Amino acid sequence: RAVESQGEGQCAPVESLWRRYSEFELLRNYLSVTYPHIVVPPLPEKRADFVWHKLSADNMDPDFVERRRIGLENFLLRVASHPVLCQDKIFYSFLTQEGGWKEMVNETGFQLKADSRLKALNATFRVKNPDKRFTELKHYSDELQSVISHLLRVRARVADRLYGVYKVHGNYGRVFSEWSAIEKEMGDGLQSAGHHMDVYAASIDDILEEEEHYADQLKEYLFYAEALRAVCRKHELMQYDLEMAAQDLTSKKQQCEELATGTVRTFSLKGMTSKLFGQETPEQREAKIKVLEEQIQEGEEQLKSKNLEGRDFVKSAWADIERFKEQKNHDLKEALISYAVMQISMCKKGIQVWTNAKECFSKM
Amino acid sequence: AASTPKPLPSTGPKSLREMPHPLATSSSEEMGPALTPSPDLLLPRSIADKDLSLPNGTPVDTSSPASSSSLLNRLQLDDDLDVETRDLFVTVDDPKKHVCTMETYITYRVTTKTTRAEFDLPEYSVRRRYQDFDWLRNKLEESQPTHLIPPLPEKFVVKGVVDRFSEEFVETRRKALDKFLKRITDHPVLSFNEHFNVFLTAKDLNAYKKQGMALLSKVGESVKYVTGGYKLRSRPLEFAAIGDYLDTFSLKLGTIDRIAQRIIKEQLEYLVELREYGPVYSTWGGLEVELSEPLEGVSACIGNCCTALEELSEDMTEDFLPVLREYILYAESMKNVLKKRDQVQAEYEAKLEAVALKKEDRPKVPTDVEKCQDRVECFNADLKADMERWQNNKRQDFRQLLMGMADKNIQYYEKVCVT
């Protein structure tokens, strides 16, 4: 299927891998800009992060590449299952069109729409009346990011230590074997128990490999938190623009009023200079008033449409956020359950090995 | 001229009753006709008839007035003695701290229940401190130099960090002291030792100790009859093998000890990380609404895992490691007995040569030595057989303990993760 073929493209040699990933990035950027009110699914990490010592941090490592492939596939599935995003034509051609896709995307001129201010991560907009829900949401997404990355870091350390514990048991295998050589009745028992210790020590590799999958699920939501945050910032930005526009309108109205009534309420350089260097002619004043009135009318229309835009944005964004929340709760619940299942299975394996060893010992 | 002794049959780890009576099978030409092989296998009493004594002059312990048949019965029993046929029970418990002006120390209660005639009363309860146990062991080594005396827990605490009065340390020591006495109790010869009897019964052990010291200095005997300077011609293969075995055995146990310690260390480090891991889920739970319950659940699980792991490490430290170390000590003391045996044989060989040179028909001295050697071998083999069986059972015991602990840990996981 179309999705699979894109995914499989990742197995191609080095150059195509990197190009492919960048095309995914391009797609995502396009979607983020074109649908600012949507929480756009995130891409898997570019570089291996949160690794514990056994896992290589090498991006060319086959395990990492494989996990990234799965992540990219997952990304496409997310987009495809989104009620709004799946209908996008560029997305469709990403899946179906071999050549010239990049050009097509650039032709849409979406980069022009991209507000560079959003890129400034630390920039804050002094917004007077943001929608409280968004403020809370932004706060939540920050906290979520922080807690998940903490979790992932500690998990990596836990995995590291657990690996150590299991591996040292392998030494038992060797010494039991050596010991069994000098024993008579105890020999067989020791030898077979030693074998089980080796099995135990080896089992940790698979266990931790499986756990990586859980870590990846968490990572997805770590990055989702950023997408969530992005939507909040877009709202902030819109609100900021709105407030700026309203402020501008108000000041223009004031100016107009002042000119009309001749009173100077606010200090303005023009006012001062005209006072110092002579009054304006009534004609000049009329002309100014006319210009201002036009601007005011424009401004009012703009404000109206901005308001409308803003409200629409809030409405549709919030709808998507609700959808996202449900998805998140569902996904994470499942992830936690499968993690628990993994742990149980790990314990059961442990029980099995030790029970076997016990049996060997009892036969000594 | 006395003939060179036949190489003794390699007996291997057989049980006592399987072994042929050494006095019967060894070259009877060397023995005086007056010595009749008696049904009492290794009863010192039979040898006492000939007024033999150990080369260093210490009279052999013949305090036992028990009839030969009942002793025989006892000796014929398998080491896994039925409770009904045992007539001596000893336990060590109830540690108490004593604070005196000079020092602070711990005493343990030693309780004895017995039907043996050697004891005046059927029950005794005395308090003893480690020093007393140490004294007992030394006395046993002195008076029964051909036997393997069970090891005591270490006298000095190696790590300066360990608290001599901590509950764990005292409990570990108590268990080891209890085992020490039980092993003596189970021993067909050691349990009849006079010093052992006094240890179990005397109200004032110190008085007895002083008396013993005086006696010793009167007789002026040296405990060690390991007379240096005798070179061993050839060590019977059997003993060389035992020596080698013990060497490798100690080595392997030492390795296991190190591995176990390493595992415990790694587990503790793992525990440290786990302790940080759990609460993060909790924090996250606080952030969420719908997910808060499952997240808290995971946090709690991890907490339980921590506890279970802690228990596992503790159990390993308290029960597993000490037993390993005990066996290493055992091996050490066994090797010493082997050395003594070598010396005895060497002495015998030298004397034999001397006799041959003197052309005297005095088989008595060599016979002494040879009989002694016989006894050493018998006991050695017996005890080795004992040890194997003990090893078997003990290993099974503490491996099961280890397994049980791993099980407990794991079952904990299971129960807990089902949330």
Side-chain angles (χ1 to χ4, degrees):
Chain A
R1 296 267 331 268
V3 175
E4 305 292 330
S5 70
Q6 291 295 331
E8 262 152 288
Q10 299 310 306
C11 299
V14 179
E15 298 98 43
S16 32
L17 175 78
W18 285 111
R19 227 178 35 222
R20 291 287 187 170
Y21 188 86
S22 65
E23 284 176 309
F24 276 89
E25 279 184 315
L26 186 60
L27 174 64
R28 189 172 189 275
N29 286 339
Y30 164 78
L31 290 173
S32 304
V33 172
T34 317
Y35 303 90
H37 56 287
I38 301 282
V39 182
V40 180
L43 288 174
E45 52 193 355
K46 200 161 188 175
R47 279 177 308 278
D49 247 336
F50 306 111
V51 285
W52 54 281
H53 93 277
K54 199 232 167 191
L55 277 197
S56 82
D58 178 18
N59 290 346
M60 292 306 136
D61 181 78
D63 284 333
F64 175 73
V65 170
E66 174 58 15
R67 290 211 321 278
R68 199 209 257 181
R69 183 194 71 75
I70 294 173
L72 290 171
E73 201 172 87
N74 188 50
F75 164 73
L76 291 176
L77 285 169
R78 292 271 194 212
V79 176
S81 57
H82 191 282
V84 173
L85 296 177
C86 67
Q87 302 184 24
D88 186 276
K89 289 202 173 57
I90 296 287
F91 173 60
Y92 183 73
S93 33
F94 181 88
L95 296 177
T96 54
Q97 190 173 324
E98 271 293 343
W101 176 82
K102 245 182 162 174
E103 292 72 22
M104 186 156 108
V105 179
N106 291 326
E107 269 167 30
T108 61
F110 78 95
Q111 269 118 348
L112 301 169
K113 287 196 227 159
D115 198 323
S116 59
R117 290 177 291 173
L118 284 169
K119 296 248 169 98
L121 291 167
N122 291 325
T124 44
F125 308 111
R126 240 164 278 133
V127 179
K128 289 191 199 126
N129 283 319
D131 187 319
K132 283 245 162 45
R133 296 177 295 174
F134 282 92
T135 322
E136 274 170 26
L137 192 65
K138 181 152 159 248
H139 181 69
Y140 166 79
S141 69
D142 285 340
E143 303 257 315
L144 188 68
Q145 255 189 319
S146 150
V147 85
I148 293 185
S149 54
H150 187 200
L151 190 72
L152 286 170
R153 258 177 290 133
V154 181
R155 193 209 72 88
R157 290 207 299 266
V158 167
D160 206 22
R161 292 296 177 198
L162 190 62
Y163 182 78
V165 171
Y166 269 74
K167 283 302 176 191
V168 178
H169 279 83
N171 294 337
Y172 271 147
R174 196 184 50 240
V175 75
F176 281 176
S177 187
E178 292 166 4
W179 184 9
S180 74
I182 61 167
E183 293 291 340
K184 295 183 182 87
E185 297 129 351
M186 299 204 313
D188 287 338
L190 276 176
Q191 179 85 322
S192 12
H195 163 72
H196 290 297
M197 289 294 105
D198 287 333
V199 169
Y200 182 74
S203 68
I204 190 68
D205 294 305
D206 287 339
I207 290 170
L208 287 176
E209 185 59 46
E210 238 195 299
E211 262 195 34
E212 279 312 305
H213 177 61
Y214 169 68
D216 284 341
Q217 287 175 299
L218 291 183
K219 273 183 216 168
E220 195 194 8
Y221 276 92
L222 175 67
F223 303 138
Y224 249 128
E226 246 191 86
L228 204 59
R229 194 168 188 275
V231 173
C232 296
R233 299 229 337 138
K234 280 170 203 154
H235 161 76
E236 263 181 23
L237 195 59
M238 282 185 95
Q239 187 69 11
Y240 177 77
D241 281 348
L242 186 71
E243 285 175 7
M244 285 293 114
Q247 213 177 321
D248 189 53
L249 187 65
T250 316
S251 91
K252 283 210 164 77
K253 280 187 178 164
Q254 237 175 14
Q255 274 186 335
C256 197
E257 197 197 314
E258 280 169 20
L259 280 178
T261 59
T263 52
V264 181
R265 261 194 240 121
T266 54
F267 176 80
S268 83
L269 193 61
K270 229 177 174 184
M272 282 310 291
T273 50
S274 61
K275 272 226 156 107
L276 287 170
F277 297 111
Q279 296 278 351
E280 300 172 304
T281 64
E283 293 82 18
Q284 282 174 317
R285 217 190 306 161
E286 277 298 325
K288 276 198 199 140
I289 289 173
K290 201 107 197 230
V291 167
L292 276 173
E293 274 177 354
E294 269 176 34
Q295 284 181 337
I296 286 169
Q297 202 172 27
E298 252 178 63
E300 271 182 346
E301 271 177 35
Q302 263 189 24
L303 192 66
K304 217 158 114 192
S305 74
K306 275 210 160 79
N307 247 316
L308 208 66
E309 230 185 297
R311 265 186 296 215
D312 276 344
F313 179 89
V314 166
K315 194 164 129 211
S316 46
W318 204 254
D320 194 57
I321 285 165
E322 291 294 336
R323 181 207 60 81
F324 168 74
K325 275 189 188 161
E326 263 194 58
Q327 173 197 300
K328 173 200 73 155
N329 287 336
H330 173 264
D331 288 348
L332 288 176
K333 217 181 261 186
E334 268 190 25
L336 289 173
I337 290 174
S338 83
Y339 184 55
V341 167
M342 259 184 250
Q343 295 299 307
I344 291 177
S345 131
M346 171 175 96
C347 294
K348 287 213 170 112
K349 279 189 212 150
I351 292 180
Q352 187 61 50
V353 168
W354 283 107
T355 314
N356 289 342
K358 182 173 169 174
E359 225 187 281
C360 295
F361 287 128
S362 68
K363 293 201 187 117
M364 288 198 321
Chain B
S3 56
T4 47
K6 272 206 300 245
L8 291 154
S10 176
T11 49
K14 284 195 223 149
S15 76
L16 203 56
R17 49 200 153 109
E18 289 170 1
M19 259 179 2
H21 189 336
L23 298 176
T25 57
S26 62
S27 44
S28 45
E29 316 88 71
E30 289 170 65
M31 287 179 220
L35 191 67
T36 49
S38 72
D40 305 334
L41 287 172
L42 298 154
L43 191 55
R45 219 159 54 110
S46 63
I47 305 173
D49 290 345
K50 274 293 275 179
D51 202 38
L52 285 176
S53 57
L54 294 175
N56 69 349
T58 317
V60 164
D61 191 341
T62 59
S63 57
S64 152
S67 72
S68 51
S69 55
S70 79
L71 254 181
L72 184 66
N73 286 337
R74 227 172 279 155
L75 291 170
Q76 277 182 339
L77 286 169
D78 203 339
D79 282 90
D80 309 306
L81 292 167
D82 293 329
V83 180
E84 303 95 61
T85 50
R86 287 230 263 138
D87 59 358
L88 179 65
F89 298 89
V90 179
T91 11
V92 178
D93 61 6
D94 190 34
K96 276 204 171 69
K97 197 177 194 180
H98 295 256
V99 183
C100 306
T101 41
M102 292 298 285
E103 52 177 349
T104 307
Y105 58 91
I106 307 265
T107 63
Y108 304 84
R109 180 176 63 189
V110 178
T111 319
T112 310
K113 288 193 173 67
T114 181
T115 55
R116 286 192 187 176
E118 293 86 350
F119 293 84
D120 294 331
L121 298 172
E123 268 191 53
Y124 291 91
S125 180
V126 295
R127 293 212 74 96
R128 298 284 180 250
R129 54 185 290 191
Y130 183 91
Q131 258 182 21
D132 302 329
F133 285 85
D134 197 34
W135 168 87
L136 173 64
R137 189 171 194 282
N138 287 335
K139 283 320 236 199
L140 289 175
E141 268 189 334
E142 271 175 38
S143 51
Q144 319 272 187
T146 59
H147 290 255
L148 294 184
I149 318 296
L152 273 180
E154 272 142 22
K155 195 170 202 169
F156 302 109
V157 182
V158 183
K159 296 179 222 170
V161 194
V162 178
D163 177 16
R164 273 191 309 140
F165 301 109
S166 77
E167 241 183 76
E168 296 88 32
F169 177 78
V170 171
E171 177 56 17
T172 306
R173 206 176 230 202
R174 184 204 66 76
K175 279 193 222 159
L177 294 174
D178 183 74
K179 209 183 267 182
F180 169 71
L181 289 185
K182 284 193 159 71
R183 279 175 171 153
I184 298 177
T185 311
D186 285 345
H187 197 283
V189 175
L190 290 179
S191 61
F192 288 95
N193 184 284
E194 175 197 343
H195 303 296
F196 184 53
N197 188 312
V198 174
F199 178 89
L200 292 178
T201 59
K203 280 297 168 201
D204 184 3
L205 191 62
N206 288 326
Y208 178 79
K209 284 189 202 177
K210 292 206 181 89
Q211 183 191 39
M213 290 296 285
L215 207 67
L216 218 70
S217 52
K218 265 192 202 155
V219 175
E221 66 189 315
S222 86
V223 174
K224 317 232 182 297
Y225 69 101
V226 178
T227 51
Y230 289 113
K231 251 204 113 179
L232 189 67
R233 291 286 168 77
S234 64
R235 190 182 287 115
L237 272 169
E238 181 187 12
F239 291 104
I242 295 179
D244 288 340
Y245 167 79
L246 287 175
D247 283 335
T248 316
F249 177 69
S250 311
L251 218 68
K252 294 308 154 198
L253 281 192
T255 309
I256 293 179
D257 183 42
R258 278 192 300 279
I259 295 173
Q261 279 190 55
R262 172 93 187 273
I263 288 179
I264 290 173
K265 176 167 162 276
E266 296 278 343
Q267 279 175 338
L268 288 178
E269 287 178 353
Y270 173 57
L271 195 61
V272 166
E273 301 297 346
L274 268 190
R275 287 222 170 96
E276 203 188 316
Y277 191 46
V280 182
Y281 279 99
S282 224
T283 311
W284 190 1
L287 201 60
E288 298 285 340
V289 176
E290 244 189 83
L291 290 175
S292 97
E293 214 184 292
L295 286 169
E296 284 293 339
V298 175
S299 181
C301 280
I302 295 177
N304 289 338
C305 293
C306 287
T307 318
L309 188 61
E310 223 179 342
E311 282 175 21
L312 176 64
S313 297
E314 264 174 35
D315 286 341
M316 283 286 277
T317 312
E318 282 168 21
D319 295 322
F320 182 73
L321 291 180
V323 179
L324 280 180
R325 301 207 180 114
E326 188 183 283
Y327 270 93
I328 294 178
L329 290 172
Y330 225 141
E332 283 304 309
S333 79
M334 277 174 86
K335 282 196 275 188
N336 280 333
V337 175
L338 282 181
K339 283 201 197 117
K340 285 186 205 165
R341 191 218 67 84
D342 283 352
Q343 283 302 314
V344 168
Q345 181 177 339
E347 197 180 324
Y348 159 66
E349 284 172 357
K351 288 197 172 140
L352 202 61
E353 252 185 63
V355 166
L357 290 171
K358 283 189 205 164
K359 286 207 167 68
E360 270 182 50
D361 186 30
R362 288 210 21 104
K364 200 173 182 192
V365 172
T367 314
D368 285 357
V369 182
E370 184 173 345
K371 279 191 192 132
C372 186
Q373 186 186 16
D374 289 347
R375 288 177 59 235
V376 173
E377 285 188 20
C378 292
F379 284 122
N380 204 5
D382 176 40
L383 287 161
K384 184 176 192 295
D386 277 0
M387 216 202 103
E388 287 290 351
R389 251 168 280 135
W390 281 341
Q391 261 193 37
N392 187 358
N393 290 327
K394 291 296 190 285
R395 285 292 178 272
Q396 199 172 327
D397 282 346
F398 71 66
R399 285 297 185 234
Q400 282 194 353
L401 197 65
L402 169 61
M403 241 54 66
M405 291 186 286
D407 273 353
K408 196 161 52 137
N409 184 12
I410 288 161
Q411 276 159 9
Y412 238 119
Y413 268 92
E414 232 184 12
K415 268 181 248 162
V416 148
C417 278
V418 169
T419 350

